[in-house]
Amino acid sequence: MVRRSTLAALASLCLAGTAFADDPVLFEYRTWMTRDGQTGPVTRLQAGLNAALATCWIDKVVGVDGQFGNGSRKAVIALTGCDTISAQVPSDSAANTGAVTEAVWKALMGDKPAPTVDQRAAVLKLTFEATDYNRMQWNFCQNSPRYAPDDGQGTCFSNDKRSFITW
């Protein structure tokens, strides 16, 4: 069963890019972190955020890890106070509250195209799946502490006995 919060997230991440506003929202932190892959649009955006923060002399750095959370949101807010960025963002833009909008994307990323609806949907999938699909991962022996027979941890725990790998 799909929860309402999942539908709201889908609407926010996938549909917000349509022409409902003068400056459509691409990504937005609300109450949960948005997770992307190591090479996806959120990761590229974070690299652009750091470059713009340095250019604007703002003493802030965000992790370039594909996780758009409160730190990335605060960085967007800080950048909307920078003359270089604010000149490109409409005054009533959701960017002023930390959303990544088309105007912010263009200001940070130049001529690199904004993520498509499909790319934003993939971010949504990773947000709720919490698996980075950039490489194959083993899906067994998920022990904590880690499975190590030589160190006395002789039991291999797997949460899905029918699955060995994921990607």
Side-chain angles (χ1 to χ4, degrees):
M1 182 171 162
V2 177
R3 296 183 321 185
R4 285 185 184 171
S5 62
T6 303
L7 292 175
L10 180 61
S12 175
L13 288 171
C14 295
L15 301 178
T18 58
F20 292 122
D22 290 336
D23 191 16
V25 173
L26 301 175
F27 301 106
E28 186 171 18
Y29 171 80
R30 292 187 182 173
T31 56
W32 65 85
M33 181 162 320
T34 300
R35 292 181 174 87
D36 191 9
Q38 296 174 359
T39 60
V42 174
T43 304
R44 292 191 307 272
L45 171 83
Q46 288 172 320
L49 276 171
N50 283 334
L53 289 165
T55 300
C56 291
W57 297 92
I58 298 172
D59 189 24
K60 218 181 244 315
V61 176
V62 298
V64 181
D65 56 9
Q67 297 185 15
F68 190 90
N70 200 34
S72 297
R73 182 186 70 83
K74 288 179 178 178
V76 171
I77 292 170
L79 282 171
T80 61
C82 172
D83 291 341
T84 307
I85 304 298
S86 66
Q88 301 176 62
V89 176
S91 61
D92 62 345
S93 172
N96 296 310
T97 59
V100 177
T101 64
E102 286 187 358
V104 167
W105 182 275
K106 186 172 182 174
L108 299 178
M109 307 303 289
D111 60 352
K112 293 178 183 155
T116 65
V117 170
D118 289 342
Q119 290 168 322
R120 294 192 314 270
V123 171
L124 179 64
K125 180 172 56 174
L126 285 174
T127 296
F128 290 103
E129 172 67 20
T131 303
D132 190 350
Y133 292 113
N134 67 344
R135 62 182 164 78
M136 184 279 299
Q137 297 177 11
W138 292 106
N139 200 28
F140 62 91
C141 293
Q142 299 160 331
N143 300 32
S144 182
R146 196 167 193 129
Y147 172 68
D150 294 340
D151 296 332
Q153 175 59 280
T155 303
C156 174
F157 169 76
S158 295
N159 65 5
D160 184 350
K161 303 209 182 309
R162 295 174 302 236
S163 174
F164 295 102
I165 60 173
T166 189
W167 59 85

